[in-house]
Amino acid sequence: MFHFFAKNTPANARQDVLSGLTVALALVPEALAFALIAHVNPLMGLYAAFIMALASAIFGGRPGMISGATGATAVVIVGLVVTHGVEYLLAALILMGVIQILVGAFRLGKYIRIVPYPVFLGFVNGLAIVIFLAQLPHFKEKGADGQMHWIVGQPLWIMLGLVALTMLITHFFPKITRAIPAALMAIIVTTLISIGLVNLSPVFDTKTVGDLSSIAGSLPSFHIPDFPLTWDAFITVLPFSVVLAGVGLIESLLTLQLVDDLTETRGQPNRECVAQGIGNATCGFFGGMGGCAMVGQTMINIESGGRGRLSGIAAGLFLVLFILFLSPLIEQIPIATLVGIMFMVVIGTFEWGSINLFGKVPKQDIFVGLLVAAVTVFTDLAVAVITGVIVSALIFAWEHAGDLKIESSIDENGVKVYRIKGPLFFASTAKFSEAFDFRGDPDDVYLDFAESKVVDHSALEAIDSLADKYRSVNKTLHLRHLSPECRKLLKKAGDLVEVNINEDPVYHVADEVR
């Protein structure tokens, strides 16, 4: 029996369990805060945290990654909850999960790897700024006028002191020993100090997790959403489900890519899509608010030594213990301690080396990185990444459109030959169309594509249109060195197209995604 357990216990089990405990402690205030943002019961945030953590750890494609209730999904959820209620939210989460499972089943998760590095860099830096800004409300309190004001005086100094002590312990404790995660040690030390100070004098009181909301509760129960099975109701939740699925997958897959870089390993994007879908569908049936991968908590896990699936499983199970049995203890943890841990996450997440890239990399890459970071801060992650990819694609197209060169010559037989050099695609078709003098050219004109590649359908249409122009003035256009696929799609050219099959290269036209 002992041999069996020893053989099947992960080598990093102890570190994974301790790291999972640290992550669970950090998940509590985040889950409560995001639940309040989404206008749902705080327990729905905690339920989502442990359901998503377990689902991602057990079924996911990236060991060591932590999932839970997130701000990215909370800001989408709030509109549906306020307008239609929690039952519509639960139905939307089930549909969201189905969509994410289908994305994984059809192996679409791999396309996250087409995200350019400047976009990824902007995502990381923007997210670090967002995490930092999310901690600032903890330095405010509600005044007599009902408005939130910055805390001042002794409460501020106590909080700053605990934040600073947390950051110092987190930074220096690993130099003493790595047997216990530094963040966990910081939580223990600062909580004991806070309790001791309060017992010494009430003037040393500071905000704790319990001040946000009680985390005591029971296990979630199975519940089929009270949702009308009508077309109108389906159309109501569908847009929210699609947006939630997209936001969740983008954040999860980019987090997966970040962990890949940190651990120098390779995750499985499609498997992670399925796991996220399982987690969110389960939240829909068990009263969670849904979620996705969490960059901050994942960074805490990685920095605390969590590398295996056991770390995520432990985080989820510890959350259950907190809810059922340990809420009085957990509620005494100072908010300042968790703020200090998140500040260390900000320092670790921000790509400080990107500051040195100014003047060393192309200006357009710097622009894309700054744009994505700014959009992440002012809107949300999904919009930022999609914007970054689109802008990067447009910049790429604009730059490579200039690579198209067209040279012409007339041989001894009076035949004019145009030699096309460079890629012919949607951004270069205008330059291609303007390069020909179809009225002044001789009766026989050859287009030689030996040094060019027809890339997309726009290029085919440009060639087709050019053939029509020569036909309108009773001249013959001969095309050489075109691929078989390109010839099939040149419908209008018809019998005017003459090709040299023996010299034709074989390549595929990007008319459809394969």
Side-chain angles (χ1 to χ4, degrees), residues 122-138:
F123 152 75
V124 171
N125 291 342
L127 210 53
I129 297 172
V130 169
I131 294 173
F132 173 79
L133 294 176
Q135 309 313 309
L136 298 184
H138 293 305

Side-chain angles (χ1 to χ4, degrees), residues 90-323:
L90 298 178
L93 292 175
I94 295 171
L95 181 57
M96 169 191 180
V98 171
I99 294 171
Q100 291 179 326
I101 291 172
L102 290 175
V103 169
F106 286 104
R107 307 184 67 80
L108 301 178
K110 61 185 178 181
Y111 289 108
I112 195 65
R113 301 198 181 277
I114 70 172
V115 174
Y117 185 71
V119 175
F120 178 70
L121 204 61
F123 152 75
V124 171
N125 291 342
L127 210 53
I129 297 172
V130 169
I131 294 173
F132 173 79
L133 294 176
Q135 309 313 309
L136 298 184
H138 293 305
F139 290 89
K140 294 181 178 181
E141 61 182 358
K142 184 176 289 187
D145 58 355
Q147 301 297 318
M148 298 301 292
H149 301 280
W150 295 101
I151 59 175
V152 295
Q154 185 166 299
L156 176 61
W157 291 112
I158 293 173
M159 189 163 183
L160 289 176
L162 290 173
V163 169
L165 179 59
T166 300
M167 296 177 71
L168 289 172
I169 294 174
T170 305
H171 179 73
F172 289 106
F173 189 73
K175 301 180 186 300
I176 301 172
T177 178
R178 291 185 177 272
I180 301 176
L184 178 58
M185 178 56 67
I187 291 172
I188 295 172
V189 171
T190 53
T191 301
L192 291 175
I193 291 175
S194 175
I195 294 173
L197 289 174
V198 172
N199 290 333
L200 183 64
S201 173
V203 299
F204 294 114
D205 191 21
T206 186
K207 287 193 297 184
T208 63
V209 171
D211 292 328
L212 291 179
S213 174
S214 173
I215 67 169
S218 60
L219 287 174
S221 57
F222 180 79
H223 167 71
I224 296 177
D226 184 12
F227 178 75
L229 299 178
T230 64
W231 178 252
D232 288 341
F234 175 77
I235 292 300
T236 298
V237 301
L238 179 61
F240 289 96
S241 298
V242 171
V243 173
L244 284 169
V247 169
L249 289 183
I250 289 174
E251 183 160 1
S252 298
L253 295 180
L254 285 177
T255 304
L256 180 147
Q257 192 171 333
L258 175 61
V259 179
D260 283 356
D261 292 342
L262 292 173
T263 60
E264 297 181 354
T265 56
R266 184 73 176 269
Q268 299 172 279
N270 294 310
R271 181 173 174 177
E272 187 59 41
C273 292
V274 173
Q276 293 291 323
I278 292 173
N280 281 299
T282 304
C283 284
F285 285 114
F286 284 89
M289 61 175 282
C292 59
M294 306 181 75
V295 177
Q297 276 64 26
T298 298
M299 289 294 294
I300 292 174
N301 190 44
I302 296 300
E303 292 174 357
S304 298
R307 292 293 186 274
R309 298 185 184 278
L310 184 58
S311 60
I313 295 172
L317 295 179
F318 277 122
L319 278 172
V320 175
L321 291 177
F322 296 164
I323 294 171

Side-chain angles (χ1 to χ4, degrees), residues 417-433:
V417 179
Y418 287 93
R419 292 178 177 81
I420 317 299
K421 299 181 180 180
L424 181 59
F425 65 113
F426 70 91
S428 59
T429 53
K431 183 176 182 180
F432 172 82
S433 301

